Amino acid sequence: MLNSRKNIFLISLLILSMTVFTACNASSPSEKTTKEEPETTESETSNEDTSVNEETDTTTVQEEVDEVEAEEPSEGSEEETSEEDNETSEKEKEEVNMLLQQLKPEKNMVKTFENKDFSLTETVVDHNETHVQRVFKVGEMVTLQILKWDQDSIQVVYEESNPKNVKESILDNFTPDKEAQPLADIKRKGKGDTTRWEIISEDETVEVPYDTYEHVVAVRSTVKNGNVNTINTMYYAPGIGMIKEVYEETGDNGYKIESVLKKVEAL
């Protein structure tokens, strides 16, 4: 009987122990969850930081793109700038064209020049849009010249000594010489100290016996031979052409000849 009670007590104690152990195990997941909450918080914080960083990076990239777009001119802006440059270039070209075209003399005129050494006349026989025919008479020597007078230059393209008829126009049937002789070239500007004619001034006021002219263009060439320089300067006025020529040789026996416009008559 005593043993039976003892066994019952042991069984009851075992059941109680198992109940307590089960209760402890049941409470353990809750504790584990509680302990793992900070880890979950750190993960969530990390995710939030990553999201913030991504947003910041996206904003920075967008700002850089906006800056690049602001720095780069638009196609429309480039086209407008190109059009403005073209308009400026065309305007400058028109001014250049006027510079030489306005110097072209009227046809059917005889210009008499004055100097102390010889008589000089220039007869403008004819001209068209691109050429001028003139005849120079220096003393007894007569020379017919045809000048190509375009937007870029003035150059001698045909020359004939002692023509049969100084008043006859040959602009429609002449054959240009192989080598043109430039008298003025809009691209050649300088001091006139080379063998090529150079524009040394584009807006001079020149007084000659016949009249005073403004907006005169002066061209010059210099041929150097040892200590002697041969300097030739010509002055062109709007609507009448050459109004003055200065021929000079330097050196021990140097001299200067000025031929200035004295009279203008109809041919």
Side-chain angles (χ1 to χ4, degrees):
M1 184 72 177
L2 182 60
N3 290 334
S4 175
R5 290 180 178 177
K6 185 177 179 179
N7 290 335
I8 292 173
F9 175 76
L10 290 175
I11 291 171
S12 298
L13 183 60
L14 179 60
I15 292 172
L16 179 61
S17 298
M18 291 178 65
T19 302
V20 172
F21 179 77
T22 302
C24 289
N25 286 340
S27 64
S28 178
S30 176
E31 292 176 357
K32 183 177 181 181
T33 303
T34 303
K35 290 181 181 180
E36 288 180 352
E37 282 181 359
E39 294 180 2
T40 303
T41 303
E42 289 178 1
S43 175
E44 291 175 356
T45 302
S46 176
N47 290 336
E48 290 176 359
D49 291 343
T50 302
S51 176
V52 171
N53 290 337
E54 289 177 353
E55 292 178 359
T56 303
D57 292 342
T58 303
T59 303
T60 303
V61 170
Q62 184 63 39
E63 290 176 353
E64 291 177 353
V65 170
D66 293 340
E67 289 178 359
V68 171
E69 290 179 350
E71 290 177 358
E72 293 181 353
S74 63
E75 292 182 0
S77 176
E78 289 179 356
E79 290 177 357
E80 291 175 0
T81 302
S82 177
E83 289 178 359
E84 290 176 358
D85 292 341
N86 290 336
E87 289 177 0
T88 302
S89 177
E90 289 297 326
K91 185 177 180 180
E92 290 176 351
K93 187 174 181 180
E94 289 177 1
E95 292 176 353
V96 167
N97 293 352
M98 284 299 297
L99 177 65
L100 294 182
Q101 289 297 322
Q102 69 182 353
L103 303 178
K104 185 183 293 185
E106 297 294 335
K107 63 182 177 180
N108 301 328
M109 70 166 65
V110 180
K111 298 188 290 182
T112 301
F113 291 83
E114 177 183 74
N115 64 59
K116 62 181 181 179
D117 297 297
F118 51 85
S119 63
L120 170 63
T121 61
E122 178 191 9
T123 302
V124 182
V125 178
D126 195 9
H127 73 66
N128 54 28
E129 293 182 358
T130 56
H131 292 82
V132 173
Q133 178 181 331
R134 67 180 183 178
V135 175
F136 271 114
K137 184 177 180 182
V138 181
E140 297 299 322
M141 184 174 63
V142 180
T143 304
L144 183 152
Q145 289 183 337
I146 294 181
L147 308 179
K148 184 180 180 183
W149 205 303
D150 58 22
Q151 62 190 20
D152 298 315
S153 63
I154 305 169
Q155 51 189 333
V156 180
V157 295
Y158 178 84
E159 192 168 85
E160 179 183 346
S161 298
N162 301 315
K164 293 180 180 180
N165 189 348
V166 296
K167 298 182 180 180
E168 180 184 0
S169 175
I170 62 171
L171 290 184
D172 295 332
N173 55 11
F174 80 98
T175 302
D177 293 338
K178 293 182 180 179
E179 294 185 5
Q181 305 172 40
L183 296 179
D185 190 334
I186 198 63
K187 298 177 182 178
R188 296 178 182 173
K189 299 180 181 181
K191 298 180 180 179
D193 57 358
T194 70
T195 56
R196 301 184 306 177
W197 290 94
E198 294 179 344
I199 296 176
I200 61 173
S201 178
E202 299 178 20
D203 192 14
E204 287 197 19
T205 299
V206 178
E207 182 180 358
V208 293
Y210 182 73
D211 202 352
T212 298
Y213 295 91
E214 296 180 345
H215 310 300
V216 173
V217 174
V219 297
R220 176 181 295 160
S221 71
T222 301
V223 178
K224 300 178 181 180
N225 185 10
N227 296 327
V228 178
N229 293 339
T230 301
I231 306 169
N232 202 359
T233 308
M234 293 185 182
Y235 298 82
Y236 293 88
I240 197 166
M242 191 180 77
I243 60 170
K244 180 179 179 180
E245 180 180 11
V246 180
Y247 181 88
E248 179 182 5
E249 283 195 7
T250 63
D252 296 336
N253 300 317
Y255 62 93
K256 180 187 291 186
I257 300 175
E258 284 193 6
S259 300
V260 291
L261 183 62
K262 181 180 181 180
K263 185 170 59 176
V264 178
E265 301 174 294
L267 179 60

